[in-house]
Coordinates of all heavy atoms in Angstrom, one line a residue:
M37 N -15.3 38.1 9.6 CA -15.6 36.8 10.1 C -17.0 36.3 9.8 O -17.2 35.2 9.3 CB -15.3 36.8 11.6 CG -15.5 35.4 12.2 SD -14.1 34.4 11.7 CE -14.6 32.8 12.3
R38 N -17.9 37.3 9.9 CA -19.3 36.9 9.7 C -19.5 36.7 8.2 O -20.3 35.7 7.8 CB -20.2 38.1 10.1 CG -21.6 37.8 10.1 CD -22.4 39.0 10.7 NE -23.8 38.7 10.6 CZ -24.7 39.4 11.1 NH1 -24.4 40.6 11.7 NH2 -26.0 39.1 11.0
V39 N -18.8 37.4 7.3 CA -19.0 37.2 5.9 C -18.5 35.9 5.5 O -19.0 35.2 4.6 CB -18.2 38.4 5.2 CG1 -18.2 38.1 3.7 CG2 -18.8 39.7 5.4
I40 N -17.4 35.5 6.1 CA -16.8 34.1 5.8 C -17.8 33.0 6.1 O -18.0 32.1 5.4 CB -15.4 34.0 6.5 CG1 -14.4 35.0 6.0 CG2 -14.9 32.5 6.4 CD1 -13.1 35.0 6.7
L41 N -18.4 33.2 7.3 CA -19.4 32.1 7.8 C -20.6 32.1 6.8 O -21.0 31.0 6.4 CB -19.9 32.4 9.2 CG -18.8 32.2 10.3 CD1 -19.4 32.6 11.6 CD2 -18.5 30.7 10.3
I42 N -21.0 33.2 6.4 CA -22.2 33.3 5.4 C -21.8 32.7 4.1 O -22.5 31.9 3.5 CB -22.7 34.7 5.2 CG1 -23.3 35.2 6.6 CG2 -23.7 34.8 4.1 CD1 -23.7 36.6 6.6
D43 N -20.6 33.0 3.6 CA -20.1 32.4 2.4 C -20.0 30.9 2.5 O -20.4 30.1 1.6 CB -18.7 32.9 2.0 CG -18.8 34.2 1.3 OD1 -19.9 34.7 1.0 OD2 -17.7 34.9 1.1
L44 N -19.5 30.4 3.6 CA -19.4 28.9 3.9 C -20.7 28.3 3.8 O -20.9 27.2 3.3 CB -18.7 28.7 5.2 CG -17.7 27.6 5.2 CD1 -16.3 28.3 5.4 CD2 -17.9 26.6 6.2
L45 N -21.7 29.0 4.4 CA -23.1 28.5 4.5 C -23.6 28.4 3.0 O -24.3 27.4 2.7 CB -24.0 29.4 5.3 CG -25.2 28.8 5.9 CD1 -24.9 27.9 7.0 CD2 -26.1 29.9 6.5
Y46 N -23.4 29.4 2.2 CA -23.8 29.4 0.8 C -23.1 28.2 0.1 O -23.8 27.4 -0.7 CB -23.4 30.7 0.1 CG -24.4 31.8 0.3 CD1 -23.9 33.0 0.6 CD2 -25.8 31.6 0.2 CE1 -24.8 34.1 0.9 CE2 -26.7 32.6 0.4 CZ -26.2 33.9 0.7 OH -27.1 34.9 0.9
I47 N -21.9 28.0 0.3 CA -21.2 26.9 -0.4 C -21.8 25.5 0.0 O -22.0 24.7 -0.9 CB -19.7 26.9 -0.1 CG1 -19.0 28.2 -0.7 CG2 -19.0 25.7 -0.5 CD1 -17.6 28.4 -0.3
V48 N -22.1 25.4 1.3 CA -22.7 24.1 1.8 C -24.0 23.9 1.1 O -24.4 22.9 0.7 CB -22.7 24.1 3.3 CG1 -23.6 22.9 3.8 CG2 -21.3 24.0 3.9
A49 N -24.8 25.0 1.1 CA -26.2 24.9 0.6 C -26.1 24.6 -0.9 O -27.0 23.8 -1.4 CB -26.9 26.3 0.8
I50 N -25.3 25.2 -1.7 CA -25.1 24.9 -3.1 C -24.7 23.5 -3.3 O -25.2 22.8 -4.1 CB -24.1 25.9 -3.8 CG1 -24.8 27.3 -3.8 CG2 -23.8 25.4 -5.2 CD1 -23.8 28.4 -4.3
G51 N -23.8 23.0 -2.5 CA -23.4 21.6 -2.6 C -24.5 20.6 -2.3 O -24.7 19.7 -3.0
L52 N -25.3 20.9 -1.3 CA -26.4 20.0 -1.0 C -27.5 20.1 -2.1 O -28.0 19.1 -2.5 CB -27.1 20.5 0.3 CG -26.4 20.1 1.6 CD1 -27.0 20.7 2.8 CD2 -26.3 18.6 1.7
A53 N -27.7 21.3 -2.7 CA -28.6 21.4 -3.8 C -28.2 20.6 -5.0 O -29.0 19.9 -5.6 CB -28.8 22.9 -4.1
V54 N -26.9 20.7 -5.3 CA -26.4 19.9 -6.5 C -26.5 18.4 -6.2 O -26.9 17.7 -7.1 CB -24.9 20.4 -6.7 CG1 -24.3 19.4 -7.7 CG2 -24.9 21.8 -7.3
A55 N -26.2 18.0 -5.0 CA -26.2 16.6 -4.7 C -27.7 16.1 -4.7 O -28.0 15.0 -5.2 CB -25.6 16.4 -3.3
T56 N -28.6 16.9 -4.3 CA -30.0 16.5 -4.3 C -30.5 16.4 -5.7 O -31.2 15.4 -6.1 CB -30.8 17.5 -3.5 OG1 -30.3 17.6 -2.2 CG2 -32.3 17.1 -3.5
L57 N -30.2 17.4 -6.5 CA -30.5 17.4 -7.9 C -29.9 16.2 -8.7 O -30.6 15.5 -9.4 CB -30.1 18.7 -8.6 CG -30.5 18.8 -10.1 CD1 -32.1 19.0 -10.1 CD2 -29.8 20.0 -10.7
G58 N -28.7 15.9 -8.4 CA -28.0 14.7 -9.0 C -28.7 13.4 -8.6 O -29.0 12.6 -9.5
S59 N -29.0 13.2 -7.3 CA -29.6 12.0 -6.9 C -31.0 11.9 -7.4 O -31.4 10.8 -7.8 CB -29.5 11.8 -5.4 OG -30.3 12.8 -4.8
A60 N -31.7 13.0 -7.5 CA -33.1 13.0 -8.1 C -33.0 12.6 -9.6 O -33.8 11.7 -10.0 CB -33.7 14.3 -7.9
L61 N -32.1 13.1 -10.3 CA -31.9 12.7 -11.7 C -31.6 11.3 -11.8 O -32.1 10.6 -12.7 CB -30.8 13.6 -12.4 CG -31.2 15.0 -12.8 CD1 -29.9 15.7 -13.3 CD2 -32.2 14.9 -13.9
W62 N -30.7 10.8 -11.0 CA -30.2 9.4 -11.0 C -31.3 8.4 -10.7 O -31.4 7.4 -11.3 CB -29.0 9.3 -10.1 CG -28.3 8.0 -10.2 CD1 -28.2 7.0 -9.3 CD2 -27.4 7.6 -11.3 NE1 -27.5 6.0 -9.7 CE2 -26.9 6.3 -10.9 CE3 -27.1 8.1 -12.5 CZ2 -26.1 5.6 -11.8 CZ3 -26.2 7.4 -13.3 CH2 -25.8 6.2 -12.9
L63 N -32.1 8.8 -9.7 CA -33.1 7.8 -9.1 C -34.5 7.9 -9.7 O -35.2 7.0 -9.6 CB -33.1 7.9 -7.6 CG -31.8 7.6 -6.9 CD1 -32.0 7.9 -5.4 CD2 -31.5 6.1 -7.1
R64 N -34.9 9.1 -10.2 CA -36.3 9.3 -10.5 C -36.6 9.6 -11.9 O -37.8 9.7 -12.3 CB -36.8 10.4 -9.6 CG -36.6 10.3 -8.2 CD -37.8 10.6 -7.4 NE -37.5 10.5 -5.9 CZ -37.9 9.5 -5.2 NH1 -38.5 8.5 -5.8 NH2 -37.6 9.4 -3.9
T65 N -35.6 9.6 -12.8 CA -35.9 10.0 -14.2 C -35.6 8.7 -15.1 O -34.9 7.9 -14.7 CB -35.0 11.1 -14.7 OG1 -33.7 10.7 -14.6 CG2 -35.3 12.4 -13.9
P66 N -36.3 8.6 -16.2 CA -36.0 7.6 -17.2 C -34.5 7.6 -17.6 O -33.9 6.5 -17.8 CB -36.8 7.9 -18.3 CG -37.9 8.7 -17.9 CD -37.3 9.5 -16.7
W67 N -33.9 8.7 -17.7 CA -32.5 8.9 -18.1 C -31.6 8.1 -17.0 O -30.7 7.4 -17.3 CB -32.1 10.3 -18.2 CG -30.6 10.5 -18.4 CD1 -30.0 10.4 -19.6 CD2 -29.6 10.8 -17.4 NE1 -28.7 10.7 -19.4 CE2 -28.4 10.9 -18.1 CE3 -29.7 11.0 -16.1 CZ2 -27.2 11.2 -17.4 CZ3 -28.5 11.3 -15.4 CH2 -27.3 11.4 -16.1
G68 N -31.9 8.4 -15.7 CA -31.2 7.8 -14.6 C -31.4 6.3 -14.6 O -30.4 5.5 -14.4
L69 N -32.6 5.8 -14.9 CA -32.9 4.4 -14.9 C -32.0 3.7 -16.0 O -31.4 2.7 -15.9 CB -34.4 4.2 -15.2 CG -34.8 2.7 -15.3 CD1 -34.6 2.0 -14.0 CD2 -36.2 2.6 -15.7
R70 N -32.0 4.4 -17.2 CA -31.3 3.8 -18.3 C -29.8 3.8 -18.0 O -29.1 2.8 -18.3 CB -31.5 4.7 -19.6 CG -31.2 3.9 -20.9 CD -31.6 4.7 -22.1 NE -33.0 5.3 -22.0 CZ -33.2 6.6 -22.1 NH1 -32.3 7.4 -22.4 NH2 -34.4 7.1 -22.0
R71 N -29.3 4.8 -17.4 CA -27.8 4.9 -17.0 C -27.5 3.7 -16.1 O -26.5 3.1 -16.1 CB -27.4 6.2 -16.4 CG -27.6 7.4 -17.4 CD -26.5 7.4 -18.4 NE -25.2 7.3 -17.7 CZ -24.0 7.0 -18.4 NH1 -24.0 6.8 -19.6 NH2 -22.9 7.0 -17.7
R72 N -28.4 3.5 -15.1 CA -28.2 2.5 -14.1 C -28.2 1.1 -14.8 O -27.4 0.2 -14.4 CB -29.2 2.5 -13.0 CG -28.9 3.7 -12.0 CD -29.9 3.7 -10.8 NE -31.1 4.2 -11.3 CZ -32.3 3.9 -10.9 NH1 -32.4 3.0 -9.9 NH2 -33.4 4.4 -11.4
Q73 N -29.1 0.9 -15.7 CA -29.2 -0.4 -16.4 C -28.0 -0.7 -17.2 O -27.4 -1.8 -17.2 CB -30.5 -0.4 -17.3 CG -31.7 -0.6 -16.5 CD -32.9 -0.4 -17.4 OE1 -32.9 0.2 -18.5 NE2 -34.1 -0.9 -17.0
V74 N -27.5 0.4 -17.9 CA -26.2 0.2 -18.6 C -25.1 -0.1 -17.7 O -24.3 -1.0 -18.0 CB -25.9 1.5 -19.5 CG1 -24.5 1.5 -20.0 CG2 -26.9 1.7 -20.6
Q75 N -25.0 0.6 -16.6 CA -23.9 0.3 -15.6 C -24.0 -1.1 -15.1 O -23.0 -1.8 -15.0 CB -24.1 1.3 -14.5 CG -22.8 1.5 -13.7 CD -23.0 2.6 -12.7 OE1 -24.1 2.7 -12.0 NE2 -22.1 3.5 -12.5
N76 N -25.2 -1.6 -14.8 CA -25.4 -3.0 -14.3 C -25.0 -4.0 -15.4 O -24.3 -5.0 -15.0 CB -26.8 -3.2 -13.9 CG -27.2 -2.6 -12.6 OD1 -26.3 -2.2 -11.8 ND2 -28.4 -2.4 -12.3
R77 N -25.4 -3.7 -16.6 CA -25.0 -4.6 -17.7 C -23.6 -4.7 -17.9 O -23.0 -5.8 -18.0 CB -25.7 -4.1 -19.0 CG -25.7 -5.2 -20.1 CD -26.5 -4.7 -21.3 NE -27.9 -4.3 -20.9 CZ -28.3 -3.1 -21.2 NH1 -27.6 -2.2 -21.9 NH2 -29.6 -2.7 -20.9
R78 N -22.9 -3.5 -17.9 CA -21.4 -3.5 -18.0 C -20.7 -4.3 -16.9 O -19.8 -5.1 -17.1 CB -20.9 -2.1 -18.1 CG -21.2 -1.5 -19.4 CD -20.5 -0.2 -19.5 NE -20.9 0.5 -20.8 CZ -21.0 1.8 -21.0 NH1 -20.8 2.6 -20.0 NH2 -21.4 2.3 -22.1
R79 N -21.3 -4.1 -15.6 CA -20.7 -4.8 -14.5 C -20.9 -6.3 -14.7 O -20.0 -7.1 -14.4 CB -21.3 -4.3 -13.2 CG -20.6 -4.8 -12.0 CD -21.3 -4.2 -10.7 NE -21.4 -2.8 -10.8 CZ -22.4 -2.1 -10.3 NH1 -23.4 -2.7 -9.8 NH2 -22.4 -0.8 -10.4
A80 N -22.0 -6.7 -15.1 CA -22.3 -8.1 -15.3 C -21.4 -8.7 -16.4 O -21.0 -9.9 -16.3 CB -23.8 -8.4 -15.6
E81 N -21.2 -8.0 -17.5 CA -20.4 -8.5 -18.6 C -18.9 -8.6 -18.1 O -18.2 -9.4 -18.6 CB -20.5 -7.5 -19.8 CG -21.8 -7.7 -20.5 CD -22.0 -6.6 -21.6 OE1 -21.2 -5.7 -21.7 OE2 -23.1 -6.7 -22.2
R82 N -18.5 -7.6 -17.3 CA -17.1 -7.6 -16.9 C -16.8 -8.8 -15.9 O -15.7 -9.3 -15.9 CB -16.7 -6.3 -16.2 CG -15.8 -5.5 -17.1 CD -15.4 -4.2 -16.4 NE -16.5 -3.2 -16.4 CZ -17.0 -2.6 -15.3 NH1 -16.6 -2.9 -14.1 NH2 -17.9 -1.7 -15.4
S83 N -17.8 -9.2 -15.2 CA -17.6 -10.2 -14.2 C -17.3 -11.5 -14.8 O -17.7 -11.8 -15.9 CB -18.8 -10.3 -13.3 OG -19.9 -10.8 -14.0
E84 N -16.6 -12.4 -14.1 CA -16.3 -13.7 -14.7 C -17.3 -14.7 -14.2 O -17.9 -14.6 -13.2 CB -14.9 -14.1 -14.2 CG -13.8 -13.2 -14.8 CD -12.4 -13.7 -14.4 OE1 -12.3 -14.1 -13.2 OE2 -11.5 -13.6 -15.1
F85 N -17.4 -15.7 -15.1 CA -18.3 -16.8 -14.8 C -17.5 -17.9 -13.9 O -16.4 -18.2 -14.3 CB -18.8 -17.5 -16.1 CG -19.6 -18.7 -15.9 CD1 -21.0 -18.5 -15.6 CD2 -19.1 -19.9 -15.9 CE1 -21.8 -19.6 -15.4 CE2 -19.9 -21.0 -15.7 CZ -21.2 -20.9 -15.5
R86 N -18.1 -18.3 -12.9 CA -17.4 -19.3 -12.0 C -18.2 -20.6 -12.1 O -19.3 -20.8 -11.7 CB -17.4 -18.8 -10.6 CG -16.8 -19.8 -9.6 CD -16.2 -19.1 -8.4 NE -15.5 -20.0 -7.5 CZ -14.3 -20.5 -7.8 NH1 -13.7 -20.0 -8.8 NH2 -13.7 -21.3 -7.0
C87 N -17.4 -21.6 -12.7 CA -17.9 -23.0 -12.7 C -17.5 -23.7 -11.4 O -16.4 -23.5 -10.9 CB -17.3 -23.7 -13.9 SG -17.7 -25.5 -13.9
A88 N -18.4 -24.5 -10.8 CA -18.1 -25.1 -9.5 C -17.0 -26.1 -9.7 O -16.3 -26.4 -8.7 CB -19.4 -25.8 -9.0
V89 N -16.9 -26.7 -10.9 CA -15.9 -27.8 -11.1 C -14.6 -27.3 -11.7 O -13.5 -27.6 -11.2 CB -16.5 -28.8 -12.1 CG1 -15.5 -30.0 -12.3 CG2 -17.8 -29.4 -11.5
H90 N -14.7 -26.4 -12.7 CA -13.5 -26.0 -13.4 C -12.9 -24.6 -13.2 O -12.0 -24.2 -13.8 CB -13.8 -26.1 -15.0 CG -14.2 -27.4 -15.4 ND1 -15.5 -27.7 -15.8 CD2 -13.5 -28.6 -15.4 CE1 -15.6 -29.0 -16.0 NE2 -14.4 -29.6 -15.8
G91 N -13.6 -23.9 -12.3 CA -13.0 -22.5 -11.9 C -13.6 -21.4 -12.7 O -14.7 -21.5 -13.3
T92 N -12.9 -20.3 -12.8 CA -13.5 -19.1 -13.5 C -13.1 -19.0 -15.0 O -12.1 -19.5 -15.4 CB -13.0 -17.8 -12.8 OG1 -11.5 -17.8 -12.9 CG2 -13.4 -17.8 -11.4
F93 N -14.0 -18.5 -15.7 CA -13.8 -18.3 -17.1 C -14.3 -16.8 -17.5 O -15.3 -16.3 -16.9 CB -14.7 -19.2 -18.0 CG -14.1 -20.6 -17.9 CD1 -14.6 -21.5 -17.0 CD2 -13.2 -21.1 -18.8 CE1 -14.1 -22.8 -16.9 CE2 -12.7 -22.3 -18.8 CZ -13.1 -23.2 -17.8
P94 N -13.7 -16.2 -18.5 CA -14.2 -14.9 -18.9 C -15.5 -15.2 -19.6 O -15.8 -16.2 -20.2 CB -13.1 -14.4 -19.9 CG -12.4 -15.5 -20.3 CD -12.5 -16.5 -19.1
Q95 N -16.4 -14.1 -19.7 CA -17.7 -14.2 -20.3 C -17.6 -14.6 -21.7 O -18.5 -15.3 -22.2 CB -18.5 -12.9 -20.2 CG -18.9 -12.6 -18.8 CD -20.1 -13.4 -18.3 OE1 -20.8 -13.9 -19.1 NE2 -20.2 -13.5 -17.0
E96 N -16.6 -14.2 -22.4 CA -16.5 -14.5 -23.9 C -16.3 -16.0 -24.1 O -16.6 -16.5 -25.2 CB -15.3 -13.8 -24.5 CG -15.3 -12.3 -24.3 CD -14.7 -11.8 -23.0 OE1 -13.6 -12.2 -22.7 OE2 -15.5 -11.1 -22.3
A97 N -15.7 -16.7 -23.1 CA -15.4 -18.1 -23.4 C -16.5 -19.1 -23.2 O -16.5 -20.2 -23.5 CB -14.2 -18.5 -22.4
L98 N -17.6 -18.5 -22.6 CA -18.8 -19.4 -22.3 C -19.5 -19.9 -23.5 O -19.5 -19.2 -24.5 CB -19.7 -18.6 -21.4 CG -19.1 -18.2 -20.0 CD1 -20.2 -17.5 -19.3 CD2 -18.6 -19.4 -19.3
V99 N -20.1 -21.0 -23.4 CA -20.9 -21.6 -24.4 C -22.4 -21.4 -24.1 O -22.9 -21.7 -23.1 CB -20.7 -23.1 -24.6 CG1 -21.5 -23.7 -25.7 CG2 -19.2 -23.4 -24.9
R100 N -23.1 -20.8 -25.1 CA -24.5 -20.5 -24.9 C -25.3 -21.6 -25.5 O -25.2 -22.0 -26.6 CB -24.9 -19.2 -25.5 CG -26.4 -18.8 -25.3 CD -26.7 -17.5 -26.0 NE -26.0 -16.4 -25.5 CZ -26.6 -15.5 -24.7 NH1 -27.8 -15.6 -24.4 NH2 -25.9 -14.4 -24.3
L101 N -26.1 -22.3 -24.6 CA -27.0 -23.4 -25.1 C -28.2 -22.8 -25.8 O -28.5 -21.6 -25.7 CB -27.4 -24.2 -23.8 CG -26.3 -24.8 -23.0 CD1 -26.8 -25.5 -21.8 CD2 -25.5 -25.7 -23.9
P102 N -28.9 -23.7 -26.6 CA -30.1 -23.2 -27.2 C -31.2 -22.7 -26.3 O -32.0 -21.8 -26.6 CB -30.7 -24.5 -27.9 CG -29.4 -25.3 -28.1 CD -28.5 -25.0 -26.9
T103 N -31.2 -23.1 -25.0 CA -32.1 -22.6 -24.0 C -31.8 -21.2 -23.6 O -32.5 -20.6 -22.9 CB -32.2 -23.5 -22.8 OG1 -30.9 -23.6 -22.2 CG2 -32.6 -24.9 -23.2
G104 N -30.6 -20.7 -23.9 CA -30.1 -19.4 -23.4 C -29.2 -19.5 -22.2 O -28.6 -18.5 -21.9
E105 N -29.1 -20.6 -21.7 CA -28.3 -20.8 -20.5 C -26.8 -20.8 -20.9 O -26.5 -21.2 -22.0 CB -28.6 -22.1 -19.8 CG -28.0 -22.3 -18.5 CD -28.4 -23.7 -17.9 OE1 -29.1 -24.4 -18.5 OE2 -27.8 -24.1 -16.8
R106 N -25.9 -20.4 -20.0 CA -24.5 -20.4 -20.3 C -23.8 -21.4 -19.5 O -24.1 -21.5 -18.3 CB -23.9 -19.0 -20.1 CG -24.4 -18.0 -21.0 CD -23.8 -16.6 -20.7 NE -24.1 -15.7 -21.8 CZ -23.6 -14.5 -21.8 NH1 -22.8 -14.1 -20.9 NH2 -24.0 -13.7 -22.8
V107 N -22.9 -22.1 -20.1 CA -22.1 -23.2 -19.4 C -20.7 -23.0 -19.7 O -20.3 -22.4 -20.7 CB -22.5 -24.6 -19.7 CG1 -23.9 -24.9 -19.3 CG2 -22.4 -24.9 -21.2
C108 N -19.8 -23.5 -18.9 CA -18.4 -23.3 -19.1 C -18.0 -24.3 -20.2 O -18.6 -25.3 -20.5 CB -17.6 -23.6 -17.8 SG -16.9 -25.2 -17.6
P109 N -17.0 -23.9 -21.0 CA -16.6 -24.7 -22.2 C -16.2 -26.1 -21.9 O -16.4 -27.0 -22.7 CB -15.5 -23.9 -22.9 CG -15.1 -22.9 -21.9 CD -16.2 -22.7 -20.9
R110 N -15.5 -26.3 -20.8 CA -15.1 -27.7 -20.4 C -16.2 -28.5 -20.1 O -16.3 -29.7 -20.4 CB -14.0 -27.6 -19.3 CG -12.7 -26.9 -19.9 CD -11.6 -26.8 -18.9 NE -11.2 -28.1 -18.5 CZ -10.4 -28.3 -17.4 NH1 -9.9 -27.3 -16.8 NH2 -10.0 -29.5 -17.1
C111 N -17.2 -28.0 -19.3 CA -18.4 -28.8 -19.0 C -19.1 -29.1 -20.3 O -19.6 -30.3 -20.5 CB -19.4 -28.0 -18.1 SG -18.9 -27.9 -16.4
Y112 N -19.2 -28.2 -21.3 CA -19.8 -28.4 -22.6 C -19.1 -29.5 -23.3 O -19.8 -30.4 -23.9 CB -19.9 -27.1 -23.4 CG -20.6 -27.3 -24.7 CD1 -21.9 -27.4 -24.8 CD2 -19.8 -27.4 -25.9 CE1 -22.6 -27.5 -26.0 CE2 -20.5 -27.5 -27.1 CZ -21.8 -27.6 -27.2 OH -22.5 -27.8 -28.3
E113 N -17.8 -29.5 -23.3 CA -17.0 -30.6 -24.0 C -17.3 -31.9 -23.4 O -17.4 -32.9 -24.1 CB -15.6 -30.3 -23.9 CG -15.1 -29.2 -24.9 CD -13.6 -28.9 -24.7 OE1 -12.9 -29.6 -24.0 OE2 -13.2 -27.9 -25.2
E114 N -17.4 -32.0 -22.1 CA -17.6 -33.3 -21.4 C -19.0 -33.8 -21.6 O -19.2 -35.0 -21.8 CB -17.4 -33.1 -19.9 CG -16.0 -32.9 -19.5 CD -15.8 -32.5 -18.0 OE1 -16.8 -32.5 -17.3 OE2 -14.6 -32.2 -17.6
T115 N -20.0 -32.9 -21.8 CA -21.4 -33.5 -22.0 C -21.6 -33.7 -23.5 O -22.5 -34.6 -23.8 CB -22.4 -32.5 -21.5 OG1 -22.2 -31.2 -22.1 CG2 -22.3 -32.4 -20.0
A116 N -20.9 -33.0 -24.4 CA -21.2 -33.2 -25.8 C -20.4 -34.4 -26.4 O -19.5 -35.0 -25.8 CB -20.7 -31.9 -26.6
Ligands
ZN1499 ZN1 -17.2 -26.4 -15.9

């Protein structure tokens, strides 16, 4: 019984160590920062653009203005 408890303690300690190492890599290293930036960029690209007048559009359908701003294609047609 005692051996089982000690083994369980080791397993918990190893799990905590791995979790600590993983979070330290993720939060405190340039590699982690880069990974988080890539993840944020992908999330932003996947999200849809929501026009207040015409509803949602996929990011590919948006029109990029010379200023860098993005507008929905129907708003662009109406103003152009
Ligand atoms: Zn619109």
Side-chain angles (χ1 to χ4, degrees):
M37 185 69 188
R38 190 173 177 179
V39 173
I40 293 174
L41 286 176
I42 291 173
D43 279 354
L44 224 113
L45 205 69
Y46 277 133
I47 291 170
V48 169
I50 289 171
L52 284 176
V54 168
T56 304
L57 184 68
S59 67
L61 280 175
W62 188 251
L63 295 175
R64 305 224 182 260
T65 62
W67 175 82
L69 176 67
R70 203 172 313 122
R71 295 287 306 168
R72 282 182 285 148
Q73 286 172 339
V74 167
Q75 202 175 42
N76 284 342
R77 195 174 308 125
R78 284 188 186 145
R79 191 178 305 139
E81 284 170 359
R82 251 184 281 126
S83 66
E84 291 183 324
F85 177 81
R86 178 156 184 77
C87 174
V89 181
H90 302 111
T92 58
F93 290 90
Q95 290 286 336
E96 304 84 52
L98 298 181
V99 178
R100 184 184 292 255
L101 299 177
T103 59
E105 189 183 354
R106 291 177 173 188
V107 294
C108 98
R110 293 182 60 191
C111 284
Y112 182 75
E113 283 174 14
E114 288 173 5
T115 55

